[in-house]
Amino acid sequence: MSEHLAGVPVTMATRQRQRLTVTGMVQGVGFRPFVYSLAQRLGLAGFVRNDSRGVAIEVEGPAEALARFRERLQAEAPPLARIERVSVEELPPRQETAFVIAPSQESSERTTLVSPDVATCAECLRELFDPTDRRYRYPFINCTNCGPRFTIIQDVPYDREQTTMRVFAMCPACRAEYDNPADRRFHAQPNACPRCGPQVRLELWTAEEPGLSACGAAEATPIEQVAQLLAQGAIVAIKGLGGYHLACDALNAVAVQRLRRRKHREAKPFALMVPDLETARRLCFVSEGEAALLQSPRRPIVLLEQRPAAPIAPDVAPGYRTLGLMLPYTPLHHLLLRAFAQVMPAERPPVLVMTSGNRSEEPIAYRDDDARQRLAGIADGMLSHNRLIHMRCDDSVTRLAAGGEQLFRRSRGYVPEPIPLAFDLPRPLLACGGHLKNTFCLGKGRQAFVGQHIGDLENLETLASFREGIRHFQRLFDIVPEAVAYDLHPDYLATRYALDSDIEQRIGVQHHHAHIASVLAEHGLSGPIIGIAADGTGYGTDGAIWGGEILLADLWGFERLAHLAYVPLPGGEQAVRQPWRMAAVYLARAYGERFLTLNIPFTRRLDRSTWRILTQMIERGLNSPLTSSLGRLFDAVAAILGLRDEVLYEGQAAIELEMLASSLPPDEQPPYPYALLRSGQGPLQIDVSPLLSALVEDLQRGGEVARLARRFHRSLVAIFVDLCQRIREVCGLSQVALSGGVFQNRLLLESLVAELEASGFAVYLNRRVPPNDGGLSLGQLAVAAARLAAESGSSTVPAR
């Protein structure tokens, strides 16, 4: 008996009909069968269907049942659904008696959201390893609660013919599931089975190393053959959800070294895939929060503290005390890890390197032909399949820090879920982001769609990926931008794209203002706020390279209150690659030419002739721009302490300095001294010469290098807290936003947050986008929106 009929007679005359328009993440997440089932249980008539705005529902029945329907629609929605709004309109009753799922319908306006790719659910996993199930060991098992979404969708509404699965005609058994509203696979667009769906294929290429063979039992599947190859030390390109991985045995030092050599990735850490949480805990310390992140449907790479005895090859993460781990997120991954474990000794944890399928500085390969061409010189073979990837999407990287999630790379599992805004955008907008770790952002209404991680815009391949992503988002979310925001650096490819576009209204946003604005946008704030923006490189309004900035900022603009005192950057980008140059510059500032007589290892190994040439360059102003970068100060201290004179990737010296400082427990060392300088009415300048002089004195006295590194971090915290307190005394502000790539330093971040909060400040961090340049596009969008609203007199953004 229907719930509303229990003892209560209902006449047709008492019936009402309503149209509900549901917007949000409601397609491809089992929402229509949920609505169907709920309406059936409540005895309601009508229909539900997808359209370009979301889900349209018409329900008819008694008023009490309709009220219960609306209440339970939001309270009991499927786990992957994200309802943003439900609008209700009264209609005349039609006296219908059945509730149906109607065909999808396009409308002129598109507001529907697209779900990110979702890890294999528990029910599908049970079927995957059930010998009695018809999908036993089928690498593409999925249902409405899991599987590919964003990477296969070509257009909305999200129907099979709008995805790359349209080429696979469903067999009768799959079609029956797909058409049955009571089935878990009702309208699961990637639904398939071994009879009708995608298939894997193994291609063996000429192996550089002798003895590699995929030989095994005659009935061995391609996945089992790959497991055998990996056990022998091979490197295999493996097609995932959003592109190819390069995989090898993470415990095999020779294989890991070979992968580094072939990929031309000298030192950056490799991500690892482990079969389960138990294996993750054998390698790393894993808190409850970190376990939840690892096992979440998003399945990101999670940065974890490595156990001292973890049996991982040394070259997996050289110089790091952390490992980036992820759990399998596709059926193919689960099958591969299980097969790999079966061919390895039982006592040996089955762990695979799973790094992006590309050469350094290139975007991830996702098309099969491109993968064959670009990865053939790296891998010994390729495990591919014939389900096309429409949009490449690399793995996301995250961790827990300062009491919450901190993203390093926002991509698979997170994109294209929008970031909600606290105000209406005055018009559709595009923000082009920065040069490194690029993302773009498109926005309309109260939604900001930050694109997947593109990478560093260093070449035509990444620029093509950037352009391709923008076009795809414009089509999916029906956004035709009427204004474009960009970074002020004139040589950034993203900036050139904005300035060369046919969008007439163009809004330049200073790099560090965008960093702070990204925090404001995330937290629904408009400012003013004290902003600490710290990174390696950002183009300043005076043409210098900023990076150690204290700002008074809101969404409309900023005032530069303080910054690290300028020093020259001799050789420009070469000084970024060779931290010894910054060490020499900072020591020369502190001691003059006397620094050459200091009795420390750095001066003894310094090439005096090269330094003389650099000195002449600095004096003549040749390729020696001024910088206030905190990243370069980290480089200088790392070189002074003997950690690294040259780097192999961005931030390497600073990361190794943090790792060294983090190796010691907290202590009560006082901070090193510093000075504040002011020239005219300009901002305060933070002079760290006293700090470096004191650090050198400690070094000359034989101080433990790790202790000096920790004291340096403590000193930076003291500087920032002191400046915030001074600003509060003048301005009365007690809110602080922290952003910029330097705040990926966990020791600095958590120490600073703790000290600021102990001093009575409310501290805001990036949680939805990375603090590095991957979050710039969101900040650019927010600043552009505020300025446009101010120009037009719009009330959609809070008044300044």
Side-chain angles (χ1 to χ4, degrees):
M1 180 180 291
S2 298
E3 294 179 19
H4 75 288
L5 296 178
V8 181
V10 178
T11 67
M12 298 298 270
T14 64
R15 294 166 68 86
Q16 297 179 4
R17 189 177 182 93
Q18 294 176 340
R19 176 185 294 137
L20 281 65
T21 302
V22 187
T23 58
M25 198 83 67
V26 289
Q27 292 192 18
V29 292
F31 195 75
R32 286 178 300 168
F34 156 70
V35 171
Y36 174 87
S37 175
L38 179 60
Q40 294 276 56
R41 293 198 304 272
L42 292 173
L44 297 173
F47 67 84
V48 58
R49 71 177 170 216
N50 282 348
D51 65 21
S52 301
R53 293 170 296 178
V55 169
I57 306 169
E58 289 191 15
V59 280
E60 183 172 328
E64 182 181 334
L66 292 177
R68 236 180 297 170
F69 177 83
R70 293 192 304 272
E71 177 184 337
R72 293 171 63 175
L73 186 72
Q74 302 208 48
E76 301 173 11
L80 298 180
R82 301 284 186 275
I83 296 176
E84 291 195 346
R85 184 181 177 189
V86 179
S87 61
V88 182
E89 179 185 354
E90 298 294 334
L91 298 173
R94 295 182 182 176
Q95 310 305 330
E96 292 176 343
T97 58
F99 192 91
V100 299
I101 297 177
S104 298
Q105 186 177 77
E106 286 213 48
S107 60
S108 58
E109 181 187 10
R110 295 183 178 188
T111 57
T112 190
L113 301 182
V114 176
S115 169
D117 298 291
V118 184
T120 310
C121 70
E123 288 175 292
C124 283
L125 273 182
R126 280 194 293 271
E127 293 172 350
L128 181 67
F129 292 111
D130 180 359
T132 66
D133 193 275
R134 72 187 188 92
R135 291 187 177 88
Y136 176 54
R137 299 202 304 179
Y138 180 56
F140 304 98
I141 189 171
N142 67 87
C143 69
T144 52
N145 297 321
C146 66
R149 301 288 196 278
F150 171 65
T151 52
I152 65 169
I153 189 171
Q154 296 170 306
D155 209 340
V156 292
Y158 178 60
D159 288 325
R160 191 176 180 102
E161 57 268 22
Q162 306 268 44
T163 74
T164 61
M165 284 295 296
R166 68 182 184 279
V167 298
F168 298 99
M170 283 182 279
C171 67
C174 286
R175 172 58 69 177
E177 296 168 331
Y178 185 86
D179 290 337
N180 180 4
D183 195 282
R184 196 174 90 251
R185 293 187 170 90
F186 173 75
H187 279 225
Q189 307 306 343
N191 188 34
C193 75
R195 286 185 58 194
C196 63
Q199 301 294 326
V200 294
R201 177 188 177 192
L202 173 61
E203 301 177 25
L204 286 178
W205 301 327
T206 302
E208 177 184 298
E209 303 300 319
L212 294 180
S213 169
C215 295
E219 67 275 12
T221 67
I223 291 174
E224 290 167 338
Q225 293 179 61
V226 168
Q228 295 163 4
L229 285 168
L230 293 169
Q232 296 169 32
I235 299 166
V236 182
I238 297 173
K239 189 174 182 179
L241 279 181
Y244 277 83
H245 286 112
L246 289 166
C248 73
D249 178 4
L251 277 62
N252 185 326
V254 173
V256 173
Q257 289 170 351
R258 188 186 307 127
L259 176 57
R260 284 208 176 277
R261 184 176 71 249
R262 294 182 184 178
K263 187 175 161 70
H264 304 298
R265 183 169 177 163
E266 292 92 343
K268 286 181 76 171
F270 286 141
L272 303 179
M273 183 175 282
V274 296
D276 49 39
L277 188 59
E278 179 185 357
T279 306
R281 287 189 160 131
R282 291 180 64 181
L283 304 179
C284 296
F285 299 99
V286 183
S287 68
E288 288 186 12
E290 290 164 337
L293 265 182
L294 279 169
Q295 298 177 100
S296 73
R298 299 184 189 275
R299 281 296 200 278
I301 297 168
V302 182
L303 302 181
L304 303 165
E305 184 182 353
Q306 184 177 175
R307 290 185 182 275
I312 297 298
D315 281 344
V316 164
Y320 277 71
R321 299 175 64 244
T322 57
L323 292 174
L325 301 189
M326 59 179 158
L327 298 184
Y329 55 84
T330 71
L332 188 152
H333 292 143
H334 284 281
L335 292 166
L336 177 61
L337 266 294
R338 179 167 292 199
F340 184 63
Q342 290 171 347
V343 297
M344 300 302 291
E347 70 279 1
R348 196 176 186 274
V351 186
L352 294 176
V353 167
M354 280 282 190
T355 188
S356 300
N358 56 9
R359 292 186 186 274
S360 291
E361 313 306 331
E362 292 180 351
I364 185 173
Y366 73 108
R367 294 191 176 104
D368 299 339
D369 289 343
D370 181 49
R372 288 186 187 95
Q373 180 179 347
R374 287 204 281 142
L375 305 182
I378 305 174
D380 301 306
M382 181 172 89
L383 183 66
S384 63
H385 55 74
N386 57 341
R387 185 180 69 200
L388 297 181
I389 298 170
H390 182 66
M391 185 56 50
R392 81 179 96 209
C393 197
D394 219 330
D395 295 317
S396 295
V397 182
T398 190
R399 72 172 176 193
L400 291 184
E405 184 178 7
Q406 184 187 42
L407 285 157
F408 279 39
R409 187 165 74 196
R410 183 180 184 271
S411 208
R412 179 192 50 76
Y414 294 79
V415 174
E417 187 175 340
I419 294 170
L421 301 173
F423 53 85
D424 290 308
L425 296 172
R427 63 186 69 176
L429 294 172
L430 165 65
C432 294
H435 183 66
L436 301 178
K437 301 176 177 65
N438 176 270
T439 64
F440 59 84
C441 183
L442 282 155
K444 69 174 181 179
R446 289 196 166 205
Q447 294 176 327
F449 296 91
V450 179
Q452 71 272 29
H453 168 80
I454 302 295
D456 300 349
L457 294 183
E458 300 278 7
N459 50 50
L460 290 176
E461 290 83 2
T462 48
L463 181 61
S465 180
F466 169 79
R467 293 174 180 271
E468 180 183 62
I470 291 174
R471 288 194 298 268
H472 190 53
F473 271 59
Q474 286 182 290
R475 182 171 60 254
L476 282 187
F477 305 115
D478 194 24
I479 298 175
V480 181
E482 298 175 9
V484 59
Y486 59 90
D487 191 274
L488 296 180
H489 198 298
D491 295 329
Y492 283 2
L493 292 181
T495 297
R496 292 182 186 177
Y497 174 89
L499 297 179
D500 291 342
S501 73
D502 57 4
I503 304 172
E504 291 187 7
Q505 189 141 17
R506 302 163 187 168
I507 302 165
V509 181
Q510 198 279 325
H511 189 96
H512 300 95
H513 183 206
H515 271 309
I516 301 305
S518 72
V519 179
L520 294 174
E522 275 196 51
H523 293 276
L525 304 172
S526 57
I529 199 168
I530 301 169
I532 303 178
D535 59 11
T537 300
Y539 193 80
T541 54
D542 58 358
I545 300 172
W546 293 6
E549 313 303 314
I550 314 293
L551 309 177
L552 176 63
D554 56 25
L555 288 181
W556 296 264
F558 70 95
E559 179 184 355
R560 196 184 190 198
L561 301 181
H563 62 85
L564 280 177
Y566 283 137
V567 293
L569 190 69
E573 281 299 311
Q574 194 66 13
V576 178
R577 292 186 284 268
Q578 296 181 340
W580 69 264
R581 297 186 182 215
M582 296 310 302
V585 164
Y586 267 107
L587 289 175
R589 183 181 183 92
Y591 290 94
E593 285 301 308
R594 285 191 307 112
F595 93 85
L596 294 171
T597 66
L598 292 173
N599 184 26
I600 57 175
F602 175 78
T603 55
R604 290 196 290 271
R605 68 177 183 271
L606 180 65
D607 184 333
R608 308 300 174 92
S609 61
T610 303
W611 172 243
R612 280 195 298 272
I613 295 171
L614 293 183
T615 301
Q616 293 171 0
M617 288 175 54
I618 293 169
E619 290 172 350
R620 297 172 184 173
L622 297 176
N623 194 24
S624 299
L626 295 177
T627 183
S628 60
S629 166
L630 184 56
R632 301 291 78 79
L633 176 59
F634 267 92
D635 287 349
V637 172
I640 291 169
L641 295 182
L643 296 184
R644 184 163 293 279
D645 287 340
E646 298 194 15
V647 298
L648 298 171
Y649 60 89
E650 180 207 5
Q652 184 180 14
I655 290 166
E656 292 180 356
L657 185 65
E658 178 199 356
M659 293 296 122
L660 180 66
S662 301
S663 66
L664 294 178
D667 56 33
E668 299 301 321
Q669 295 181 96
Y672 288 125
Y674 76 102
L676 290 177
L677 312 174
R678 187 187 291 276
S679 176
Q681 297 301 310
L684 287 170
Q685 298 181 46
I686 306 163
D687 182 8
V688 294
S689 294
L691 183 158
L692 292 173
S693 296
L695 183 144
V696 167
E697 289 175 11
D698 277 353
L699 190 60
Q700 289 176 319
R701 286 194 291 264
E704 183 184 0
V705 174
R707 196 163 299 281
L708 272 56
R710 187 155 193 116
R711 192 174 179 187
F712 169 69
H713 281 75
R714 174 76 186 91
S715 303
L716 293 179
V717 170
I719 291 171
F720 288 138
V721 172
D722 179 28
L723 284 166
C724 288
Q725 290 172 334
R726 290 170 185 258
I727 293 168
R728 181 170 59 186
E729 290 173 4
V730 175
C731 304
L733 291 176
S734 58
Q735 293 180 314
V736 181
L738 308 179
S739 191
V742 167
F743 288 116
Q744 293 176 146
N745 181 319
R746 185 172 184 170
L747 175 61
L748 177 66
L749 177 71
E750 294 187 334
S751 301
L752 180 55
V753 169
E755 291 286 341
L756 285 170
E757 289 180 342
S759 299
F761 290 94
V763 185
Y764 297 90
L765 312 176
N766 289 113
R767 297 297 189 190
R768 303 287 296 272
V769 296
N772 59 43
D773 286 4
L776 281 178
S777 61
L778 176 64
Q780 292 171 349
L781 187 96
V783 170
R787 291 181 185 171
L788 289 170
E791 288 175 7
S792 64
S794 170
S795 61
T796 59
V797 178
R800 189 175 188 181

